[in-house]
Amino acid sequence: MGKEVAAVKIAAATVKNFIAHIYIGYGFSETDSALIAETLTDADLRGITSHGVQRLAMYDRKIRAKAIIPYNKWTVVKHTKSSLLVDANHTMGQLVSAFTMDHVVSKAQRHGISVGVVRHSNHFGAAGYYARMAAKAGLIGIVATNTNPLLVPPRANQPFLGSNPLAFAFPTQKAPFVFDAATSTVSLGKIEVLLKNNQSIPGEWAVNGDRQTQTDPQTVLDELARNRRIGGILPLGGQREANANYKGFGNSLIVECLTGILAQGSISADLGHKNHDISHFFLALDPELFGDPQEIEASLSDMLDRIRHLAHSGTNPIRVPGDREIQNVDCNLKNGVVIDQTTIDQANEIANRLGISDRLSGTPIKE
């Protein structure tokens, strides 16, 4: 594809303040706007650019289409001492998710384990944010969500499941161990980021309607936007069964069971276009049910360090999931988050339309 587009570095506090003002402009409260801004900026700080400020354009389309309704409030449909079923009533996914995980954590602290599911919601950002809410409270957190259909099952020609990410967080003696990833090869947001940077899709990430490998991000996005979607993103394992793609497919099905099925909402295949009914799953587990939490944390810390210090080839160190994100936070808090010019232009257009004086700008990154 063409030359990569320009990008700039902007202080994280500036980005967070800008996003908060955007959501106040939509009609969200200051408290809710600050939470949304926190989740999106947190993603950019961790280098998860697919789920940071670049998501403003997607949320803007959904708010304008009334798929996300700023003034709506969620309802607790059913609850027990260790469970929670919530109807999001089409509010912003981040808001109902933080509410649900907060209650799940509180119940788990009292009773050892708790599960919450949410239906009639929207995209909630990066799943790891909510899993880390549990870890910060000394608990194990597991979070999942279904999404609009984009994953093409093995041997199929059209998408049926979502990217269906799964996040896991476990407290250690330092920062929590966090694994947060789609059960597809990538999330749709990463395809959007490739397009914004004029980059081709690498490897076996996506296919067209004939199951031929697709490298053009615009074509993938266009085909997934059709009324009858064709092609899409592959499960972990890619094209061939020999690469165990059935495992990625199976993992995505498990997430579908825990979200759309358990919450009695829509499954991924029936989402999109005018049906906005994403479902989420949240679990918190207290390690104290099984022993001394400090000893358990020390054991996990030791295991992760043993992995990092294994004999290895090359000069690059061994990293476990989450190490890169922690390093990114340290670097980006100091130097600013990296945002491509296309995303900046989109964000500033939204601000202009909402009558907000803020504008995103930063220090150009030298090539």
Side-chain angles (χ1 to χ4, degrees), residues 16 33 35 142 171 212 230 236 251 264 280 285 290 316 339 353:
K16 186 187 297 186
S33 297
L35 174 58
I142 300 176
Q212 300 301 309
I230 58 173
L236 292 172
N251 289 338
Q264 301 141 78
H280 316 307
L285 172 66
F290 308 100
N316 292 327
I339 304 177
R353 179 162 27 87

Side-chain angles (χ1 to χ4, degrees), residues 161-173:
L161 299 170
S163 59
N164 291 10
L166 178 68
F168 175 89
F170 200 127
T172 74
Q173 293 175 317

